[in-house]
Amino acid sequence: MKILKESGFSAEKIVENGNKFLIGNGYLGYRGTLDEFGAKECVGLNIAGLYDGVAGKWRETVNAFNPFYCLICADGAPLDVRGENIFSHEIALDMEKGTFFRETVFSVGGGRVTLFSERFISAVEKDLLCSRLRLTSEKNISLHITAGIDADIWDLNGPHLCEVETHCGGTFAEASGKTQELGIPVRVVCTFSHPLKRVRGGMGEISINLKAGESFVLDRVARVLVGEEGFSETDFLTAQEAHRREWARLWSLARLDAKGDARAQFALDYSVYHLLILAPKGNYSIAARGLSGQTYKGAVFWDTEIFLLPFYMDVLPQCAKRLVEYRVNTLPAAREKAKSYGFGGAFYAWESQNGYDACSDFNVTDVFTHRPVRTYFKEKQIHISADVAYAILKYYGRTQDDEFMLRGGLETVLSCAEFARTYSYYNHVKKRYELLDVIGPDEYHERVNNNAYTNYMFYLTAKEGVALAEKFLKKYPACGEKLLENLPAKILEKLKEWTEKLYLPQPNGEGIIEQFDGYFRLEDVGVEEVRSRLCHPNEYWGGSGGVATATRVIKQADVIMLFNLYPDLFSEEIRRANYDFYLPYTEHGSSLSRCSYAIAACNIGRREEAYSAFLESAEIDLRGGGKQWAGEVYIGGTHPAASGGAWIAAFYGLGFGKKEDLQ
Ligand code: IFM
């Protein structure tokens, strides 16, 4: 039984449980909050791929109006989990059914009143979400229910919807608005199974007398309509049946078998659940915090290509295609970014919002001075373009989808390589190309030279891209011109010359590849020593003045990532030496790190280490773990890359294969 449960209520866990008990369908996400909660409790109905920015603030995804608000009074006593009259309280996430449940028993006038509610976001219809509320009482009571659409939205950098209008009448309620920047209409329309009276704005009231032992049921069926999308009616049970059927199908494709290990099985199922609720339903990609809110601006990072794509390639190939298509579709924006910095080719957005780079110049705030800190992720984390090229090549390797490659896939790969070529500097003394002034996956050390991960990734993807282009030119002579028409003349020759002369850091006498030029000269201290130097728990470790900057302590797997993506590049002995060398310096300050070490440990036959790193990663949102703050910036939410990385470790490394007896 894949049911996550939690009994009892704690106000401190409202935000954490919002993430932990999230439901979604790849397009909409609804946080695991309660019927009586509002913006203060971070109720969020997040929409994938719809962005808005308010002057002077970060642009982020839009949260919709909440159609499931409901406050109930029984004989005048509010049925609110924060009250005194709670007999018991439990919430549950049924991962098999993609459904959230809550049951709270209240003491009212010497009897018990049970509030049971369930909700799901349809796995079939992208704009549809449904809720059923059931009230039962031991004694005769009068119920007074306020229900409707709550237009008070929780935003990190909002408000995003303006010209808000709400109305409600009979069994219908609606709230509508327009995004501030582009004026895109967003409407939430909800139908109720019971008429609402005494309406105010998007809310109305229901008053009934409930007899002892009987139930009152209120169904709500809502749609989130963006742009000109139209409303169509359905009912709770019809929608639920289709939804459950689709979840059964999804699990039949995704189910893995942890071979009797109950803890691993649950953690794995939870990871798979999160990956399933993020599978895109349209022309967009997956944000770093999924559908749990607006953290990281709802933007798409390399997380998707490197940590999530493998799951979708194996389980939902149609979604894998959407993910790579997203990068091909945003190639013009990547070209523009490269051009704006004076480079050729395609420089992908570090934090992509439909291709546009949302990464700010000041991504961190100093906790002591409260001043913004200049970070260079946007300008210097150039490996993003290699990651995009790598993903497209992997996708092609798996699918042999020539049509996709001819329609932009190959052009994207070559444009990424061309970007690195133009970014590089030819060192006339050493007679080699170098990639200077970059940031590797380890973000604590900014503006370094020749980050091994970056150099190798561009080298390998460029080489593979050129080889593939040559193959395509032979195979499809008629398409040849078209394939290269948006690329500089003699691109293949240029890239060949470049890869031949690009500097690739080699293992030293101990077999260690230096993460970047000069890394070995940094202070040789471990993570705990550096942690003990912190003056504030939320202090930023990297950048120009961070505690880790002058030391060997790194935020996340870096050189190790290269071995994960290209396991055959070096011998097992070299991989092992680097694993042992870098692990003690790794703070795992990113949720991408543990799973990377889990995968690396699998590749060097360290099963026990792999297993515990896998669990750390797969359980991150069950524990409510992960950093909540980077300086003064809130970075909480779910961690899809940790789920995806855990899945890679489990499926490809630990041998938790597919279950034979799919039900
Ligand atoms: O992409 C990651 C990055 O590697 C570390 N900081 C968080 C980002 C989003 O998950």
Side-chain angles (χ1 to χ4, degrees), residues 288-289 296 301-303 350 381 441 443 555-556 590-592:
R289 290 290 183 264
Y296 285 145
F301 291 63
W302 69 312
D303 307 28
W350 177 243
Q381 220 154 155
E443 294 175 328
K555 180 177 182 181
Q556 63 201 83
S590 159
S591 58
L592 278 51

